């Protein structure tokens, strides 16, 4: 008896896929102005959810704990960012004028070199011979590139309108997510189970743990390093300490470390003859540079017990690929993929350490007998 052939209506399937794809694309197109703000809100809410629960236990009401969290986000996140952007804009103007005028950039005389025992006079003579033989010409060649970099940085800082929109959307969605967090998580888990069963549910849990690990281990570490380093810059008298603190925070987020900002600042202190503060900043900068080696592993383990290499690779790759929002998306994607791959591999037993059976199987099936 022949089996009945199953007839597939290919045009129906094709038009169904096109219809669904159209609505998905149209929905993302309409929501495009709000996606970045919503992702920010989701990351912040996931990272700070335990704090919300602690506050709710004290005040007994979700709406009141949500208001407190919104005020904290406003004070700790939004207002400092606006002040930093304003400071960058204010301080960029004199930097641009300085870069546009080569005559204003003069190399220092470094008279303090003469005070160094034994080799001081030689160092002083060598420095001045370099100045005479072309130091000013070198500064003149570097100056146009400094001006271009300053102009680009200033233009980026002026693009505050879109950033302000994202901040506003982030605040709005943060409040809604704090109020309805359990319902949103329930819907996401339901959707994930519909897609991939129990693995999908585990992926949602793993994603939240990864976000918390990045927020604690990467962002908080970078913030602490930048604040401590910025205090040292301000106390030692380095100009534009606020701008340099922002740059230090960005470098720490990108896993480049604070030394990219601290070393030029220390050299500037020695350049201007302030050797005392220069020596102090060498010690201070060394302490700041080693903070991440202590703080980051401890804080990452508080969020999720994931390989540090995986988190750092996701952070760096995410920033290079997607910008600042990739700071969170990169490690989350890698962490979920890594754990799901391990779960799939662990469905079968591990190989036997004794290779005797494997060698026999290989000789029997893969090696031709003469």
């Amino acid at each position: 008896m022949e089996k009945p052939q199953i007839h597939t209506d290919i045009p129906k399937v094709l038009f169904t896929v096109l219809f669904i794809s159209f609505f998905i694309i149209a929905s993302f197109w309409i929501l495009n102005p709000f996606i970045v703000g919503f992702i920010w809100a989701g990351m912040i809410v996931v990272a700070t959810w335990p704090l919300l629960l602690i506050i709710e236990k004290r005040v007994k009401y979700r709406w009141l704990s949500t208001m407190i969290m919104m005020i904290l986000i406003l004070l700790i996140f939004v207002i400092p960012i606006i002040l930093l952007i304003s400071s960058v804009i204010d301080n960029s103007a004199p930097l641009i004028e300085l870069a546009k005028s080569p005559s204003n950039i003069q190399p220092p005389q470094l008279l303090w070199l003469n005070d160094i025992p034994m080799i001081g006079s030689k160092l002083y003579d060598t420095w001045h011979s370099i100045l005479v033989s072309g130091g000013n010409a070198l500064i003149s060649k570097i100056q146009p590139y400094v001006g271009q970099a300053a102009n680009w940085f200033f233009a980026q800082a002026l693009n505050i309108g879109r950033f302000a929109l994202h901040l506003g959307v982030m605040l709005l969605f943060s409040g809604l997510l704090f109020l309805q967090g359990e319902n949103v998580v329930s819907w996401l888990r339901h959707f994930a189970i519909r897609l991939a069963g129990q693995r999908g549910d585990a992926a949602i849990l793993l994603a939240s743990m990864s976000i918390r690990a990045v927020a604690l281990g990467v962002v908080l570490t970078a913030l602490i390093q930048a604040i401590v380093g910025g205090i040292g810059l301000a106390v030692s008298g380095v100009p534009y300490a606020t701008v340099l603190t922002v740059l230090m925070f960005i470098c720490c987020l990108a896993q480049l470390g604070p030394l990219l900002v601290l070393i030029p600042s220390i050299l500037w202190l020695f350049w201007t003859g302030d050797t005392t503060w220069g020596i102090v900043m060498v010690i201070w900068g060394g302490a700041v540079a080693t903070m991440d080696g202590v703080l980051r592993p401890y804080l990452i383990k508080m969020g999720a017990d994931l390989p540090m290499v995986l988190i750092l690779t996701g952070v760096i790759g995410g920033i290079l690929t997607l910008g600042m929002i990739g700071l969170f998306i990169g490690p989350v994607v890698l962490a979920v993929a890594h754990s799901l791959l391990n779960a799939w591999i662990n469905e079968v037993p591990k190989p036997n350490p004794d290779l005797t059976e494997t060698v026999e199987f290989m000789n029997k099936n893969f090696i031709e007998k003469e």
Side-chain angles (χ1 to χ4, degrees):
M1 181 177 178
E2 296 182 356
K3 295 182 179 180
Q5 295 182 351
I6 300 176
H7 178 69
T8 302
D9 190 348
I10 296 179
K12 178 182 178 181
V13 174
L14 179 62
F15 280 112
T16 302
V17 171
L18 290 176
F19 184 78
I20 295 174
S21 301
F22 167 77
F23 274 96
I24 292 175
I25 295 172
S27 298
F28 275 100
W29 182 41
I30 294 172
L31 295 175
N32 184 55
F34 310 102
I35 289 177
V36 174
F38 181 77
I39 293 176
W40 272 8
M43 303 301 179
I44 290 175
V45 170
V46 170
T48 59
W49 188 259
L51 179 60
L52 173 74
L53 297 181
I54 293 174
I55 296 175
E56 187 178 7
K57 287 182 179 179
R58 300 292 181 87
V59 300
K60 306 300 182 183
Y61 298 102
R62 172 58 63 88
W63 66 268
L64 184 55
S65 59
T66 299
M67 291 296 297
I68 295 174
M69 289 299 300
M70 295 292 291
I71 293 173
L72 289 176
I73 292 175
L74 193 65
L75 294 176
I76 298 174
F77 188 76
V78 177
I79 293 179
I81 287 179
I82 293 175
L83 292 177
L84 288 175
I85 292 176
S86 176
S87 176
V88 168
I89 294 175
D90 293 340
N91 291 320
S92 293
L95 286 176
I96 293 174
E97 292 301 322
L98 181 64
K100 288 181 178 179
S101 305
S103 58
N104 294 336
I105 306 176
Q106 297 295 333
Q109 298 300 312
L110 300 186
L111 298 176
W112 56 270
L113 288 175
N114 287 315
D115 299 331
I116 300 177
M118 299 179 66
I119 62 172
S121 59
K122 279 189 176 182
L123 292 175
Y124 180 79
D125 294 338
T126 302
W127 172 249
H128 278 269
S129 64
I130 293 174
L131 294 184
V132 172
S133 62
N136 292 323
L138 178 62
I139 291 178
S140 298
K141 289 181 180 180
I142 294 175
Q143 179 269 334
Y145 299 101
V146 176
Q148 292 175 10
N151 281 320
W152 179 87
F153 188 71
F154 184 64
Q156 297 299 317
L158 287 176
N159 191 17
I160 193 174
R162 182 179 298 178
F163 190 75
L165 172 64
H166 292 327
L167 286 178
V169 172
M170 182 272 293
L171 276 175
L172 175 62
F173 282 121
S174 294
L176 294 176
L177 290 175
F178 279 131
L179 286 172
Q180 301 293 328
E182 290 85 357
N183 294 333
V184 174
V185 171
S186 177
W187 185 88
L188 287 175
R189 292 181 61 191
H190 195 180
F191 180 73
I193 291 173
R194 181 66 180 87
L195 286 179
Q198 198 67 27
R199 289 180 180 174
D201 195 14
I204 295 296
L205 176 61
L206 183 65
S208 64
M209 294 170 61
S210 302
I211 292 171
R212 198 164 294 132
V214 174
L216 291 174
V218 178
V219 179
L220 186 57
T221 301
L223 183 61
I224 293 174
Q225 282 185 287
I227 291 174
V228 175
I231 291 173
L233 295 176
V235 173
S236 62
V238 176
Y240 309 112
T242 305
V243 178
L244 294 176
T245 302
V246 177
L247 293 177
M248 198 185 316
F249 178 64
I250 294 173
C251 290
C252 292
L253 282 180
Q255 305 305 301
L256 299 176
L259 293 180
L260 287 178
V261 176
L262 291 176
I263 289 177
S265 302
I266 293 170
L267 293 176
W268 182 88
L269 290 172
F270 285 108
W271 181 292
T272 56
D274 198 349
T275 55
T276 302
W277 279 113
I279 295 172
V280 171
M281 280 303 298
V282 168
I283 301 172
W284 190 268
V288 173
T290 56
M291 288 175 64
D292 58 342
V294 178
L295 286 176
R296 188 188 295 128
Y298 174 73
L299 293 175
I300 284 179
K301 293 298 181 182
M302 289 178 60
D305 191 9
L306 297 169
M308 189 181 302
V309 174
L310 188 75
I311 297 292
L312 297 183
T313 302
V315 167
I316 297 172
I319 290 177
L320 294 177
T321 305
L322 301 173
M324 293 306 296
I325 197 64
L327 172 73
F328 291 97
I329 296 177
V332 167
V333 171
L334 289 185
V336 172
H338 172 265
S339 297
L340 291 180
L341 179 62
N342 280 342
W344 177 72
I345 293 175
N346 291 331
E347 289 181 355
V348 298
K350 292 183 178 181
N352 191 346
D354 185 6
L355 298 178
T356 303
E357 294 183 2
T358 304
V359 172
E360 291 178 356
F361 178 81
M362 180 182 64
N363 291 332
K364 181 179 179 179
N365 295 277
F366 296 104
I367 298 179
E368 296 182 1
K369 296 181 179 179
E370 297 181 358

